[in-house]
């Protein structure tokens, strides 16, 4: 790993590590982090092999400014999601779909229950209607034909 000379002033070893890590992340060729890791101030520090709190604006104001400037310039570029993020997204979608299936199944079962209750009531009412019709005395239709309508 060759260190690049970024400015005419002398850089500390830590700043050189941060700058090299920044360059590797910009090129999507990290050594410590998984490939496809998004570029952020914390990830630059992690790629440099140090705690993220080590890369502070008070210690490295120019570098932090460069990182922020690069992030602002590349805001539109959508980074690829890691396999874990994809898997978690799929799990979440599957969980939502299972919930929806359960809800729809419950709604279907409720609707089917109501349909069966309605059919049972229709059968009961038809039987009652037949029973009541059988109790009525026969109607003499000839009476209606003779009347003056």
């Amino acid at each position: 790993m060759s260190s690049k000379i970024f400015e005419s002033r002398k850089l500390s070893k830590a700043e050189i590590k941060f700058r090299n890590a920044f360059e590797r992340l910009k090129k999507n060729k990290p050594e410590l982090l998984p490939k496809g890791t998004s570029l952020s101030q914390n990830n630059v520090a992690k790629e440099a092999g140090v705690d993220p709190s080590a890369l502070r604006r008070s210690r490295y104001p120019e570098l932090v400014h460069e990182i922020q400037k690069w992030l602002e310039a590349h805001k539109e570029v959508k980074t690829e999601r890691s396999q874990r993020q994809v898997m978690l997204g799929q799990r979440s979608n599957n969980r939502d779909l299972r919930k929806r299936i359960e809800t729809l199944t419950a709604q279907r079962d409720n609707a089917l229950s109501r349909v069966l209750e309605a059919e049972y009531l229709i059968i009961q009412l038809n039987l009652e209607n037949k029973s009541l019709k059988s109790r009525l005395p026969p109607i003499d239709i000839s009476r209606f034909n003779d009347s003056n309508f």
Side-chain angles (χ1 to χ4, degrees):
M1 166 176 27
S2 64
S3 64
K4 296 180 180 180
I5 300 176
F6 294 95
E7 296 176 22
S8 61
R9 68 177 177 85
K10 185 163 172 108
L11 302 176
S12 67
K13 288 182 184 180
E15 187 169 357
I16 291 171
K17 285 174 74 174
F18 288 134
R19 288 189 177 278
N20 288 335
F22 179 43
E23 290 300 317
R24 287 194 304 271
L25 286 174
K26 284 197 296 190
K27 294 175 185 174
N28 197 18
K29 295 185 179 185
E31 294 175 358
L32 299 177
L33 297 175
K35 192 170 184 176
T37 300
S38 62
L39 196 144
S40 68
Q41 191 172 327
N42 283 347
N43 285 342
V44 168
K46 288 177 186 176
E47 177 62 22
V50 297
D51 187 72
S53 64
L55 181 54
R56 295 185 188 168
R57 181 179 296 273
S58 60
R59 287 185 187 164
Y60 310 101
E62 293 169 4
L63 177 59
V64 170
H65 178 71
E66 287 177 36
I67 293 170
Q68 298 303 321
K69 188 176 172 182
W70 190 90
L71 288 172
E72 194 64 35
H74 295 84
K75 193 186 311 187
E76 308 89 35
V77 177
K78 186 173 183 174
T79 58
E80 291 183 21
R81 293 171 44 182
S82 70
Q83 284 182 331
R84 183 173 188 281
Q85 288 172 327
V86 170
M87 184 181 63
L88 290 175
Q90 287 174 345
R91 281 184 186 171
S92 176
N93 287 342
N94 288 344
R95 193 176 307 114
D96 292 344
L97 290 173
R98 272 191 227 105
K99 260 187 168 177
R100 182 159 169 79
I101 288 171
E102 288 174 7
T103 302
L104 291 173
T105 302
Q107 288 176 354
R108 181 207 58 203
D109 291 348
N110 188 19
L112 185 59
S113 174
R114 288 182 175 188
V115 167
L116 290 175
E117 285 177 10
E119 285 180 352
Y120 179 74
L121 184 59
I122 289 170
I123 291 170
Q124 278 186 327
L125 290 173
N126 278 334
L127 290 174
E128 184 181 350
N129 193 12
K130 283 182 183 178
S131 171
L132 291 173
K133 280 184 179 179
S134 69
R135 290 186 192 165
L136 287 174
I139 301 173
D140 185 15
I141 299 178
S142 62
R143 242 179 17 165
F144 293 114
N145 289 339
D146 295 339
S147 58
N148 295 329
F149 283 118

